[in-house]
Each structure stands twice: as C-alpha cells, then as structure tokens.
Amino acid sequence: MPRGDKSKYTDKQERKADHIAEGYEERGVPEKEAERRAWATVNKDDGGGKKSGSGRGVETGHPAAHEGGEKGGAASAARPAADRSAAAKKAAATRKRNAEHRAHG
C-alpha cells in the first residue's frame, strides 16, 4: 500500500478527518495543510487505519479532543484570586442547592 493511501481507514475515521480539516480551513489554514494535520490527528487518536484481526475494530476514543481541558488551566490562573474564589463559592452553593433538591426528590 503506497504512503498516503486512505483505503484502510474506516468511514468514521474519514468523517473525523473531514471535520477536523474543515475546522482548520475555517481558521485560515491552507487546504493541503489542513488535510495533512487532520490525518495526523486521526492517526494520533486511533493509531492509524483499520487493523486486521478479530476484536481490533472497537472504541476509537477521542484523545486529541481532550486536550482542551489541559490547556484551560492557564486562563483560570490568569484571573485574580478574588474572581476564582467567588466562582468557587458560587459553584459550592449550586452543588449544595442541587444536593438538597435531590434529597427531597
């Protein structure tokens, strides 16, 4: 199979690559580069194309899609301590209110 041949990818992987490439193109990345990055992401997520053998075609997961949570810490750290504290107090009050609501349900 020549390099770059996409015949060994599942329909889901192809849809995923198309979706990722569209996102890059919307952000101004040239089409060829967007396509290259999209397939690189699919390979990173799923370990490449279809693998032969029983039970090998399950659960692609979404590892690259989880990176946003790791990167979110910087935004929070940049906010003043008073803002973070106020948000934490609000969240605690919401959790308490929800817990009380569940207890009566």
Side-chain angles (χ1 to χ4, degrees):
M1 181 169 59
R3 296 184 96 186
D5 182 13
K6 302 292 185 253
S7 66
K8 287 289 187 196
Y9 287 86
T10 63
D11 290 344
K12 180 175 182 177
Q13 287 171 321
E14 289 179 13
R15 286 194 308 272
K16 198 174 188 182
D18 288 343
H19 184 75
I20 293 166
E22 283 172 21
Y24 278 124
E25 287 172 27
E26 284 171 13
R27 286 181 272 166
V29 176
E31 187 178 345
K32 273 197 160 181
E33 175 65 8
E35 192 87 357
R36 189 192 68 73
R37 289 185 191 181
W39 283 109
T41 304
V42 169
N43 287 336
K44 177 183 170 187
D45 280 2
D46 303 345
K50 287 184 227 176
K51 305 285 193 294
S52 62
S54 176
R56 296 282 297 271
V58 291
E59 186 52 44
T60 62
H62 304 284
H66 288 297
E67 285 185 8
E70 293 173 19
K71 294 175 180 173
S76 175
R79 292 168 53 206
D83 285 358
R84 290 197 309 273
S85 179
K89 287 175 183 165
K90 183 178 177 186
T94 301
R95 283 194 296 273
K96 183 179 179 187
R97 197 172 55 247
N98 289 343
E100 289 170 358
H101 177 72
R102 280 190 220 101
H104 297 297

